[in-house]
Each structure stands twice: as C-alpha cells, then as structure tokens.
Amino acid sequence: MRAAILSTGDELTTGKIVDTNANWLADKLFELGIDLVAVLTVGDYPERIAWAWREAFAQADVVISTGGIGPTADDLPSEVLAGVLGVPLAEDAASAARIRGFFTARGREMPENNLKQARLPAGAIVIPNALGTAPGYRVTAAGRHAIVLPGVPREMKPMVEETVLPWLRQLRGGDDVYLARTFQTFGVTESGLDELVAGAVDPAEGRVAFRASFPEVSLRVVVHGPRAEAAARLETLAARLRARIGPYVY
C-alpha cells in the first residue's frame, strides 16, 4: 500500500510555521508498513489544492490531508476534493448537530459559517473529533482513499491514533511492517562511515541510509517483512553494522 500526505495552508508555504503534522504522520505510516511516496504542501488556492489532490491520487492508494477544514473562506480542501472526485457536498446532519451543541454547551452563539464544517463530499464517512468542531472524514472513489483531518495537532493526532490507524491496518491486511535502528556516530565523516559499512548489508536484507548533521552523522538501517521475521533480521544487521562502526557510536 502506498500513501501520500497533503498539507494545505498559506502559513506553511510562507514559512510562518513548520509542518510537524507531516513529520508525525510519516512516522506513523512507516511503523504501519505503508510506503509513503510523497509529501505535498500547497497554499490556500483552489487550483493548487486540486493539482495536489490529483498528483497525490496518481501516486498513492491513500492520501491523508491535514488543514483547511475550518469555517472560514480560505478553508477549501473539502470543496476542492468534492470537485476532483466529481461528487457534491452534502451536510452531515449528525456533524451539524454536534457543532451546534459544541457552542450551546459553552453558552456561546454559533456563527452560521461554522456549519460549513459539516458539509462533506457525498459518501464520506465521518472521523470523530473529540476536541474541536471540525469533523474529519474519509471517502473512497475509483479505488483511491482520501482521509481529511484538521491541521491542529492536538485534534489531529488522537483522530489518527484512535480511528485512522486501525482502519488503515485493516485495509492493508497482513503482518508486514517496517522496522529501523539508528546509530548516532561522532568522529567520522559521512563518506568515511559509508566506506566502513560498504557491503555489510545486502539490499535484499535491508536499506542503509546516512544523515549528516555536523558534527554528528547518523546511520539508519531499515528492514521490511512480517514483524517477527523483520525484528530478528534487524538485530542481525544491527550487530553486523555495530561490529564495523562501534568505536564511533555513542
């Protein structure tokens, strides 16, 4: 199974905030054994969001979008996604009632534009949001799955943990996972580290990657397969690598 992450918002493309959501989601997908093929970030422009959805669907089976499902005029992903899928927007009655109740419980008058958050592409299945007014949802068309979530991390993360990951695990099936071990080293260059471990890991066994962040260099080995088999192979490869680079590992 292949996945793509779509992050929307001018605050991301203008450098006002860092996209920590994509980083967190990438880690969760990796743990689940899902191949993340792309991370797309676009501003709040309908044509750019539509382009990003089409590109993501062309590359991945599942696209996870964060951001842009608030009540304001610049919150566009649901409208654009409905257009890309060729389906109308429809108000989800349960979500609309929940939004009204959210304001009533706090003794506040609800601005009518909040009901925009309850308008979802036809056929969407709601992903509950216990901490905010915007419901998430997932919708399937032409064999591709779209998952739309709020951009607020404290809302998005519980929704992923409680609803999205269990659903993805069931959709994916099987027991295959990705597992990794990272060695932090000091006192050796990236090229020197590469020479030390050359030939230690066959590409059929796992994948080795380097990351230089002066004055440290990290070496990461990644394996893929059924969990028990992958865990055993990771231990074998990690021991093999440590035997070569041990003096530099801290």
Side-chain angles (χ1 to χ4, degrees), residues 52-232:
W53 274 114
R54 293 189 181 100
E55 288 296 313
F57 281 137
Q59 298 295 325
D61 308 297
V62 176
V63 181
I64 302 177
S65 169
T66 64
I69 56 173
T72 57
D74 62 345
D75 290 315
L76 303 169
S78 292
E79 298 172 27
V80 175
L81 175 59
V84 169
L85 298 179
V87 299
L89 286 172
E91 183 175 291
D92 180 72
S95 295
R98 183 183 173 281
I99 292 170
R100 290 189 179 96
F102 187 92
F103 283 88
T104 300
R106 288 158 179 76
R108 295 164 54 193
E109 184 177 347
M110 184 195 75
E112 283 302 309
N113 61 357
N114 272 94
L115 290 180
K116 175 183 177 180
Q117 296 173 303
R119 291 179 57 77
L120 313 178
I125 296 174
V126 170
I127 298 173
N129 179 358
L131 299 174
T133 58
Y137 61 88
R138 59 179 171 87
V139 61
T140 300
R144 295 289 188 264
H145 307 279
I147 298 172
V148 179
L149 301 167
V152 181
R154 68 182 291 270
E155 297 178 20
M156 181 272 293
K157 290 181 179 180
M159 295 166 74
V160 170
E161 296 276 15
E162 295 166 13
T163 304
V164 175
L165 291 181
W167 178 76
L168 284 174
R169 191 174 291 111
Q170 182 180 29
L171 181 69
R172 186 207 64 182
D175 185 41
D176 282 7
V177 295
Y178 285 90
L179 300 177
R181 179 74 52 82
T182 301
F183 295 100
Q184 296 288 2
T185 70
F186 179 84
V188 61
T189 63
E190 184 178 13
S191 56
L193 200 62
D194 184 42
E195 286 187 348
L196 285 171
V197 302
V201 177
D202 187 287
E205 297 178 298
R207 188 171 76 246
V208 174
F210 305 87
R211 180 177 181 272
S213 179
F214 184 82
E216 306 164 355
V217 182
S218 63
L219 181 153
R220 190 185 202 200
V221 58
V222 179
V223 300
H224 176 244
R227 182 174 292 276
E229 175 192 313

Side-chain angles (χ1 to χ4, degrees), residues 34-50:
I34 294 176
D35 182 19
L36 178 63
V37 297
V39 178
L40 301 173
T41 304
V42 292
D44 295 314
Y45 296 85
E47 67 279 7
R48 297 178 189 178
I49 297 173

